[in-house]
């Protein structure tokens, strides 16, 4: 009998298997990120709901320590300031929150990573 836990593990294994054909794309993104950081640029991340949590986690891995001690890398989760988020959504509408943040914090050479979820149905 397959339990919900085994089903979840199997789903994760399938996701990992689907990443293999994306090896070249993932490598290309890593090169772009490395180049941006080496040129003094930063990564801006955003998402809604659980994707916002993922964006914040990724930003913290860049600025914190991931796998080894290293200099911090400049990364910012755009939704992490609730005062800005609510002020911009109040003044301009929720659909403008990330646009305003990118205009405020972004510069040429920075990278924006927008995370979202698409149901495979």
């Amino acid at each position: 009998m397959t339990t919900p836990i085994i089903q979840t593990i199997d789903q994760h294994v399938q996701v990992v298997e689907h990443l293999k054909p994306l090896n070249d794309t993932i490598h290309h993104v890593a090169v772009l990120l490395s180049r941006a950081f080496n040129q003094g640029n930063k990564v801006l991340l955003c998402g809604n709901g659980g994707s916002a949590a993922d964006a914040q986690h990724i930003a913290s891995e860049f600025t914190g320590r991931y796998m080894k001690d290293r200099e911090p890398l400049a990364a910012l989760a755009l939704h992490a300031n609730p005062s800005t988020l609510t002020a911009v959504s109040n003044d301009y509408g929720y659909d403008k929150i990330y646009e305003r943040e990118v205009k405020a914090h972004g510069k040429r050479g920075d990278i924006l990573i927008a995370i979202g979820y698409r149901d495979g149905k």
Side-chain angles (χ1 to χ4, degrees):
M1 178 169 93
T2 302
T3 67
I5 293 171
I6 295 299
Q7 289 173 346
T8 301
I9 292 169
D10 288 343
Q11 288 171 350
H12 282 80
V13 169
Q14 288 175 8
V15 168
V16 171
E17 287 297 320
H18 282 90
L19 290 175
K20 287 180 181 178
L22 298 174
N23 177 62
D24 291 343
T25 301
I26 293 168
H27 176 76
H28 180 69
V29 169
V31 168
L32 292 174
L33 289 168
S34 178
R35 185 178 304 144
F37 286 133
N38 286 331
Q39 293 175 349
N41 295 102
K42 65 185 159 304
V43 173
L44 306 172
L45 299 106
C46 63
N48 291 318
S51 297
D54 293 337
Q56 196 163 346
H57 183 183
I58 293 167
S60 69
E61 295 291 2
F62 282 132
T63 57
R65 184 183 97 117
Y66 178 72
M67 297 180 74
K68 64 178 184 175
D69 283 331
R70 57 164 167 72
E71 289 297 312
L73 302 171
L76 177 65
L78 297 177
H79 64 279
N81 183 336
S83 296
T84 299
L85 196 71
T86 56
V88 172
S89 65
N90 186 54
D91 294 345
Y92 297 98
Y94 191 78
D95 60 329
K96 299 290 184 187
I97 58 170
Y98 292 132
E99 177 184 337
R100 298 289 295 186
E101 289 267 20
V102 169
K103 284 182 178 180
H105 301 291
K107 67 176 187 191
R108 183 172 297 281
D110 290 346
I111 294 177
L112 173 66
I113 298 175
I115 301 173
Y117 171 77
R118 186 184 72 150
D119 193 346
K121 296 178 185 175

